[in-house]
């Protein structure tokens, strides 16, 4: 009788919630970061949150969520040896579960080898992995969390490779594809990654190769002989810094680079086919600004081209204070000017001889939906930051003080579920 009375008087706690009911609660938290914090509350919650069944249902409800831990910011930096290199540094996202300093140290890239005078450029991030191009001869794929990496010598740089005549080639990027596996998310990302690498053989041909970590070899190679590259290369060999400025981005299953006099080079990620097209009446958008050349990516962006069959690809350019939007039909080679509008007029800010604004696209730590871009207006006396909806052509003023991160390139670093949930919780 006494024991029954004591049990009735005992205060009920959150630990008394049955596992099946707790699962329903955890499935309804707003974001993966919230689920991660809930899992860190106590061991029983961690056990339920880390269960494979709950994680599968959570991914299905939230469209395959990933945990954004921060961004890798890339800027040109003059090193101690006097050589200017592209330097990538991790900047944690505010509010991440781990202390910022620990996270910054954990995800630093000091474990990667850097031979004397080598040049290395970060060109892509996906699924917790980073892809670099090094010295025009190697791709590097690494997992900063586990501090593992692989150096892959390009097949065109090997004896008996696809390029046999000694032609001058230049790598134009390494890009991560969806993992090669059964889609279960099990196993290490470093054992199942696939990376697409592309190169140009001076003015003559373009090559692309795919490396599979699961097969431990280059599994596919493509050659395009029927495109003219002279407008892209300018007739001379490009260095890594110049290539880095030309990458426009990825959209609609393709990767895009901007060339000279409006020429655009496209690589289809699925077929490996290269193609070129020309923006009508588009001037050369590279400008000189004292400290050096502005990146092409700060003047040209590509959006759309996905979703339903036939969706149009849009190329958005900043030209002489105007915003120009070109449309290219799916699979087509012709671009049409869709709209042209003055940016000062669109933004409703006053410009003139006494206040000349330099407009360019900005890479920031803000994650935006597809079809949204960020634009900056810079003058000697004031700066403004805007969000641009390409579909409606509306600019929305942003609070510049909330944008804590800005660089020549900003790459989000996300880790996929469920493979990293216990790692993020440290020793919990």
């Amino acid at each position: 009788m006494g024991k029954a009375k004591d049990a009735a008087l005992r205060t009920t706690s959150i630990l008394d919630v049955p596992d099946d009911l707790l699962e329903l609660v955890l499935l309804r938290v707003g974001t993966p970061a919230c689920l991660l914090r809930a899992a860190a509350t106590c061991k029983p919650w961690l056990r339920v949150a880390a269960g494979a069944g709950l994680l599968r249902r959570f991914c299905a409800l939230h469209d395959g969520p990933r945990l954004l831990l921060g961004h890798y910011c890339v800027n040109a930096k003059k090193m101690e040896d006097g050589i200017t290199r592209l330097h990538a540094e991790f900047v944690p996202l505010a509010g991440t579960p781990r202390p910022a300093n620990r996270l910054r140290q954990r995800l630093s890239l000091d474990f990667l080898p850097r031979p004397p005078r080598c040049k290395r450029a970060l060109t892509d991030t996906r699924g917790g992995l980073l892809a670099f191009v090094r010295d025009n001869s190697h791709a590097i794929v690494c997992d900063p969390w586990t501090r593992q990496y692989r150096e892959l010598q390009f097949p065109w740089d090997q004896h008996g490779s696809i390029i046999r005549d000694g032609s001058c080639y230049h790598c134009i990027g390494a890009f991560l594809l969806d993992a090669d596996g059964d889609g279960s998310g099990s196993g290490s990302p470093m054992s199942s990654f696939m990376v697409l690498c592309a190169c140009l053989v001076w003015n003559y041909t373009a090559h692309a190769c795919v490396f599979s970590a699961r097969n431990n070899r280059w599994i596919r190679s493509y050659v395009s002989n029927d495109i003219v590259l002279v407008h892209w290369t300018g007739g001379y060999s490009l260095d890594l810094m110049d290539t880095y400025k030309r990458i426009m981005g990825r959209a609609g299953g393709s990767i895009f680079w901007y060339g000279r006099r409006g020429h655009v080079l496209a690589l289809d990620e699925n077929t490996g086919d290269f193609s070129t097209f020309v923006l009508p009446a588009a001037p050369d958008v590279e400008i000189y600004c004292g400290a050096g050349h502005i990146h092409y990516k700060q003047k040209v962006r590509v959006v759309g081209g996905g979703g339903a069959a036939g969706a149009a690809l849009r190329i958005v350019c900043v030209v002489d204070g105007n915003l120009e939007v070109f449309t290219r039909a799916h699979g087509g080679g012709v671009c049409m000017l869709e709209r042209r509008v003055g940016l000062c007029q669109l933004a409703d800010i006053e410009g003139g001889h006494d206040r000349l604004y330099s407009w360019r696209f900005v890479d920031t730590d803000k994650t935006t939906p597809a079809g949204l871009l960020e634009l900056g207006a810079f003058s000697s006396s004031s700066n403004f930051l805007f969000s641009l909806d390409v579909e409606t052509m509306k600019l929305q003023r942003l609070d510049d003080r909330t944008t804590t991160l800005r660089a020549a390139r900003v790459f989000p670093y996300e880790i996929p579920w469920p493979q990293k949930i216990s790692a993020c919780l440290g020793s919990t």
Side-chain angles (χ1 to χ4, degrees):
M1 181 71 177
K3 290 183 178 180
K5 185 176 180 179
D6 290 343
L9 293 177
R10 183 173 63 86
T11 302
T12 301
S13 73
I14 193 66
L15 297 179
D16 295 312
V17 177
D19 286 357
D20 55 350
L21 183 58
L22 180 59
E23 278 195 18
L24 294 177
V25 174
L26 295 178
L27 282 172
R28 285 160 175 78
V29 300
T31 65
C34 292
L35 178 60
L36 190 62
R37 295 187 186 98
T41 302
C42 57
K43 289 183 178 180
W45 282 37
L46 173 61
R47 174 177 50 79
V48 174
L54 181 138
L55 289 171
R56 279 196 300 269
R57 294 167 65 191
F58 190 87
C59 290
L61 285 173
H62 296 269
D63 193 24
R66 297 174 181 269
L67 178 64
L68 180 67
L69 292 185
H71 301 79
Y72 280 92
C73 298
V74 182
N75 281 303
K77 183 178 180 181
K78 194 168 186 178
M79 301 302 185
E80 295 179 355
D81 56 9
I83 299 177
T84 299
R85 295 189 177 94
L86 293 167
H87 178 70
E89 180 181 8
F90 180 76
V91 179
L93 190 70
T96 47
R98 278 174 170 259
N101 289 338
R102 285 185 60 195
L103 202 58
R104 189 190 301 268
Q105 183 178 9
R106 176 67 182 262
L107 294 173
S108 70
L109 300 175
D110 55 4
F111 66 95
L112 293 178
R114 186 184 284 277
R117 305 184 72 82
C118 88
K119 293 184 178 180
R120 185 178 68 208
L122 176 63
T123 55
D124 196 24
T125 61
R126 177 178 288 201
L129 301 182
L130 278 62
F132 298 81
V133 172
R134 180 177 73 79
D135 291 335
N136 200 35
S137 60
H138 290 75
I140 300 177
V141 177
C142 74
D143 183 342
W145 191 270
T146 61
R147 302 178 76 80
Q148 296 176 296
Y149 71 92
R150 288 197 65 174
E151 283 191 315
L152 311 171
Q153 187 179 11
F154 295 135
W156 49 79
D157 192 52
Q158 300 173 6
H159 177 70
S161 65
I162 59 175
I163 300 174
R164 305 173 186 272
D165 60 359
S167 300
C168 178
Y169 69 90
H170 183 79
C171 180
I172 56 175
F175 304 92
L176 293 158
L177 305 177
D178 290 334
D180 183 14
D182 57 8
S184 64
S186 59
S188 166
M190 288 296 295
S191 65
S192 59
F193 73 82
M194 295 177 68
V195 61
L196 170 67
C197 301
C199 86
L200 304 181
V201 184
W202 206 39
N203 296 333
Y204 307 111
T205 59
H207 297 255
C209 291
V210 176
F211 182 88
S212 167
R214 189 174 297 277
N215 293 280
N216 196 32
R217 62 184 177 89
W218 297 94
I219 59 172
R220 293 195 294 272
S221 64
Y222 314 93
V223 181
S224 296
N225 296 303
D226 55 348
I227 59 175
V228 178
L229 300 175
V230 66
H231 292 296
W232 201 86
T233 64
Y236 57 87
S237 180
L238 301 170
D239 62 18
L240 192 58
M241 196 80 71
D242 190 72
T243 300
Y244 202 70
K245 293 186 292 185
R246 296 174 182 270
I247 299 175
M248 294 167 56
R250 302 168 81 163
S254 294
I255 307 166
F256 298 87
W257 295 263
Y258 194 84
R260 298 174 182 276
R261 295 184 289 278
H263 286 73
V264 176
L265 177 69
L267 169 61
D268 189 305
E269 298 182 30
N270 296 316
T271 66
D273 292 332
F274 286 88
S275 60
T276 58
F277 58 92
V278 182
L279 303 181
D284 200 340
V285 298
E286 188 180 32
I287 63 174
Y288 189 78
C289 64
H293 289 279
I294 293 292
H295 286 214
Y296 285 84
K297 192 172 186 288
Q298 293 178 342
K299 291 288 183 176
V300 187
R301 293 289 172 103
V302 58
V303 296
L313 179 81
R314 286 187 171 94
I315 299 98
V316 188
C317 306
V318 175
V319 181
D320 297 331
N322 295 317
L323 189 70
E324 297 183 352
V325 180
F326 298 91
T327 303
R328 180 181 183 239
H330 181 74
V334 178
C335 284
M336 301 295 293
L337 179 62
E338 181 180 346
R339 357 187 155 162
R340 178 189 289 117
V341 62
L343 279 166
C344 286
Q345 176 186 356
L346 190 65
D348 194 23
I349 59 176
E350 185 178 350
H353 294 291
D354 58 338
R355 184 175 292 183
L356 294 175
Y357 285 99
S358 171
W359 289 86
R360 60 179 180 266
F361 295 109
V362 180
D363 267 10
T364 72
D365 55 345
K366 303 296 182 185
T367 54
T368 56
L372 292 183
L373 300 172
E374 290 193 12
L375 269 169
F378 305 93
S379 74
S380 58
S381 58
S382 58
N383 298 327
F384 298 102
L385 195 63
F386 298 89
S387 173
L388 168 68
D389 188 323
V390 178
E391 187 67 34
T392 64
M393 292 295 285
K394 289 184 178 179
L395 282 179
Q396 180 181 354
R397 180 85 62 87
L398 301 177
D399 186 353
D400 186 62
R401 291 171 299 178
T402 65
T403 303
T404 58
L405 189 58
R406 196 180 297 160
R409 294 289 300 276
V410 176
F411 292 90
Y413 178 70
E414 300 173 324
I415 52 177
W417 296 77
Q419 61 196 24
K420 298 290 187 179
I421 185 170
S422 59
C424 288
L425 295 175
S427 58
T428 301

